[in-house]
Amino acid sequence: GASQTFAMTGRPLAKYADVVVAIVLALALLAIDPSPHMMLGDSQSYLMTGEGTPVFYPPDRSWLYGMICHAVLGWSHRLVGLVVLQVVLQAAVVVLLGRRLVTGQRIRIAFVTLISLDPLLVVYTRFYLSDCLAALAFTGFVACLSGGRTRPGLGALTLGCLCGILAIFLRIAYVP
């Protein structure tokens, strides 16, 4: 419980420091460069999905991510809305990886900081591509099914399978 957490760390929110670091860095980098980038072909297909008469669905890319883009852009009315979503998704990937791969809070915070500041990942979140959400789905798949030191329960197996299916729907490259 909360009192046990307080007794172990002296600070009840210390176990969320990696989450705070990832979000603060992601938002700070977003404030520095919020400009969206286009990858002709992929980005164009995702942005056009659900538009026109007849309605356009990309024949060679994820229609699901295109529909997510359509919904986010319809809600935010700005292209930067999708960039904000992708930045948050990337922060979630970094935290999930840190929590699965690194033991020790200080080392985990250093890991999260370094990965969050990786210039390629920062730039990649600015493109309209399915990779940020697909990476989160795949990372969730691996995290749920790996189980760590214990065997995963039915809930973790179910969530892991759903994450795996989502990853494949978003990026066919995740098919083994």
Side-chain angles (χ1 to χ4, degrees):
S3 61
Q4 186 180 31
T5 301
F6 184 79
M8 290 188 322
T9 64
R11 295 167 288 169
L13 297 179
K15 65 181 177 178
Y16 300 110
D18 55 340
V19 176
V20 172
V21 167
I23 291 171
V24 166
L25 286 174
L27 294 178
L29 292 168
L30 180 64
I32 292 169
D33 178 22
S35 59
H37 301 294
M38 297 286 287
M39 179 80 63
L40 292 181
D42 289 18
S43 299
Q44 183 179 3
S45 289
Y46 295 136
L47 294 175
M48 290 176 52
T49 300
E51 296 291 327
T53 307
V55 174
F56 174 76
Y57 293 101
D60 56 349
R61 290 173 179 81
S62 172
W63 57 266
L64 177 60
Y65 190 70
M67 294 307 292
I68 292 169
C69 289
H70 187 75
V72 169
L73 294 173
W75 174 75
S76 69
H77 301 290
R78 297 182 60 209
L79 290 174
V80 77
L82 194 55
V83 173
V84 170
L85 173 65
Q86 292 187 154
V87 165
V88 170
L89 294 172
Q90 188 65 34
V93 169
V94 169
V95 168
L96 190 54
L97 283 174
R99 290 192 171 208
R100 293 301 293 171
L101 299 176
V102 181
T103 57
Q105 183 73 349
R106 288 183 181 155
I107 298 171
R108 186 178 310 121
I109 290 170
F111 174 87
V112 165
T113 300
L114 290 173
I115 301 300
S116 296
L117 294 173
D118 181 343
L120 290 175
L121 290 177
V122 172
V123 167
Y124 220 67
T125 60
R126 303 319 190 257
F127 282 97
Y128 296 120
L129 299 171
S130 63
D131 296 48
C132 291
L133 182 56
L136 180 60
F138 185 73
T139 304
F141 167 74
V142 172
C144 287
L145 297 184
S146 65
R149 294 181 202 98
T150 62
R151 292 181 56 202
L154 182 60
L157 289 173
T158 303
L159 182 59
C161 289
L162 292 174
C163 286
I165 292 167
L166 179 61
I168 291 170
F169 264 91
L170 294 167
R171 293 281 301 164
I172 197 70
Y174 286 113
V175 173

